Amino acid sequence: MKKRTVVSVVLCLFVATLAWSCSSSPEKKDGLTNGEAPPPAYLAEIPADTHYVAAALEPFPGTAFTKLLNTVSPLYDKAVANFKSYGEQGGATQDEEYKAMVAFMEMFQGKMNKEGIESLGLSMTPKFALYGIGLMPIMRMDITDQKKFETTMASFEKAINVVPQTRKLQEVEYREYVMPDEMSVLVRITGTEAIFGFTFPEVSALYLPHFTGTAKLTSSMKSTNALQELAKKHKFQNYAVGFVDLQGIANTVLEPSADLNGQMAEALDIIVRDLPNPECIGEMKSIAARFPRVVAGYDEVTAERMQYRMGLIMGDNLGAELRQVKGSIPAYGAAYSKETPASIGVGINVGEFLKMAQRHANTIRQSPYKCSALMEINQGAMQIAGQAPLIPPVIGQVQGFHGVLENIEWADPTATSGDVREFPQPPDDGAEPQNTPPPIQADPEPDAKFTGVGLLQVSDTGMLIDALKALAPQLSTVEIPADGQLRLAPEALDVPPGLKPMFIGMTKTTVGMAVGDNAKTQATSMMNAGSDGSPLAYMRIDYTTFMKLVDEPMPEANDPESVDIQPLMDMIGTVEMSLDPTESGLFVTISQNLK
């Protein structure tokens, strides 16, 4: 339970810290602050060998936070009102937990604006840091007014009905809130900073000197300049930079050293013990060395656009290998895919990918792991090595796919789907009723009809069609000319009702499918377009239009108590996520165009 608690706290704080960092927004004339400000003082408090860190080296630019508050404020107030209404209807008004939750939520009602945030003592332009002492986190953020923040904390304590204990370490004062699972939440407030900590009794003696700032570090993020070097290496902006040291964590829990991280792991009893073989530690550490860390940071931050990147760093030249298996997403970047509610694409050369998988499987098969805890890896390698040669060659032809969703037309939930044909009934002449066949229900209308485009990139469409005919004899009469024109799909393809009428066509390397007249025109153009510069995979969603499409019409949609989240979706705008390998590893890029 304690291990799960530690992991849960760290993950929640990591997400919350990055979310808060997105909202930090001092005004700058040109929207850029990179390189203008000196490094924050708190870097001197972060151990150089920390297992994880996310920190702002400079405050964020722009007005994105103000835009977010203007959108969220009415939604939040409506949500609080609904929560109270549901509680009253359910008879929960005397429940202590319910009353505490209502009091806490009411603290922020009417304060989702610049004046309200600052009235709580919080900063609209904070810097922040989240880092680990061992695996236990410390979070720091700027405040604007210590007295106002003290008042906010007092209101919070009253709302959740918790009385903290005031503690001191070398004259440094802090609050301690003891939770039911023996975890303590710590709060230290200085003139410009609020510092939050999470610890257990077993590690307090090791943790508290770092929380209170009384520990003397021999090497820190300030002295090593590690975060600035990380930002420079991966071309991140300085607004938020971080990493998780996967290899360091693995080494600590497998074979702890006498340093602070090892002592914390021993005290928390999170060491992996009783491994079945003496070879296990070395083999597990060798796997961790192939995936040493995760890095993250921002590429761009303005009031109109944000771009965030996270990468899994890989050893043994794995990033370069993944680049060799990249295929091509057909018509990647086409205007149609950027103007529609959603699109998705994958660009993998399946043939090259199978060769890479077989190569690594054979390496493991020739030198299998001796640790019995890793036997499943050995078995998986055996299966891949044995089955890869049996995969039909036509599968190896596939190089990419691209799907674009233009529209969803939902069936009317109040309409009757399908007609009923009754068999003639005998006259009512008093005779015994005869067995008659039941009424026949005609094929119902589909729940939804889709409009859009699908493209498949292959080495040779002629070979693909021939292979499909061999696998499915009912397709033997299907003929699709490779002339780049789309035609109504043959009946032999048995198209589902929700995708009719479907048009299909192909060139020598691309198969195109379309549902809808406009989609047919677009597919013809996309089928004959290039696809240079496509990533390994991507997904794009315009939340403004997409949420309207997928929100199936239901009678309860007009419920006056429901919270309309469409304004929030409108502000989120368009989000695109792409996955692409580099020489360093595998990176996910998330781009958001704010509206």
Side-chain angles (χ1 to χ4, degrees), residues 180-342:
D181 60 357
E182 296 186 349
M183 183 179 75
S184 290
V185 178
L186 313 177
V187 179
R188 181 161 73 94
I189 304 171
T190 69
T192 59
E193 213 176 14
I195 306 166
F196 302 88
F198 303 82
T199 188
F200 291 99
E202 301 94 311
V203 294
S204 289
L206 296 166
Y207 181 86
L208 285 174
H210 293 273
F211 174 74
T212 57
T214 57
K216 305 299 181 184
L217 297 181
T218 58
S219 182
S220 69
M221 286 293 160
K222 180 180 180 180
S223 64
T224 60
N225 222 30
L227 287 179
Q228 290 89 335
E229 291 299 321
L230 177 69
K232 182 179 179 181
K233 179 178 180 180
H234 296 288
K235 300 180 180 179
F236 295 137
Q237 298 290 323
N238 283 342
Y239 308 128
V241 182
F243 67 80
V244 178
D245 183 4
L246 301 178
Q247 185 177 7
I249 293 172
N251 290 346
T252 295
V253 300
L254 288 169
E255 198 170 30
S257 59
D259 63 6
L260 176 64
N261 289 326
Q263 293 178 56
M264 290 283 290
E266 289 277 12
L268 285 171
D269 192 25
I270 57 174
I271 306 301
V272 178
R273 307 183 190 279
D274 303 322
L275 288 169
N277 307 88
E279 296 88 356
C280 286
I281 290 179
E283 291 180 344
M284 290 180 176
K285 289 173 71 173
S286 71
I287 293 174
R290 303 185 76 185
F291 309 97
R293 59 166 46 183
V294 172
V295 300
Y298 281 87
D299 296 322
E300 181 181 356
V301 180
T302 68
E304 292 75 34
R305 178 179 167 82
M306 291 186 181
Q307 183 166 299
Y308 174 79
R309 197 157 33 99
M310 178 181 292
L312 174 64
I313 303 303
M314 299 176 172
D316 292 346
N317 211 35
L318 288 175
E321 280 196 75
L322 283 175
R323 294 184 72 178
Q324 296 301 314
V325 307
K326 281 184 62 175
S328 179
I329 299 174
Y332 174 73
Y336 180 66
S337 66
K338 296 179 180 180
E339 297 164 354
T340 44

Side-chain angles (χ1 to χ4, degrees), residues 333-369:
Y336 180 66
S337 66
K338 296 179 180 180
E339 297 164 354
T340 44
S343 56
I344 188 171
V346 178
I348 296 179
N349 186 320
V350 176
E352 291 300 318
F353 178 79
L354 292 173
K355 290 178 184 177
M356 185 188 77
Q358 191 172 11
R359 185 167 61 250
H360 283 279
N362 285 332
T363 299
I364 295 174
R365 194 171 70 166
Q366 292 166 9
S367 182
Y369 291 106

Side-chain angles (χ1 to χ4, degrees), residues 480-525:
I480 304 175
D483 58 2
Q485 300 300 313
L486 274 75
R487 299 169 176 82
L488 194 64
E491 291 186 7
L493 292 182
D494 194 20
V495 177
L499 296 177
K500 290 182 177 179
M502 176 182 283
F503 302 92
I504 189 167
M506 66 185 192
T507 66
K508 291 182 178 180
T509 58
T510 306
V511 177
M513 293 160 284
V515 180
D517 291 335
N518 180 55
K520 176 186 176 183
T521 301
Q522 297 293 340
T524 302
S525 174

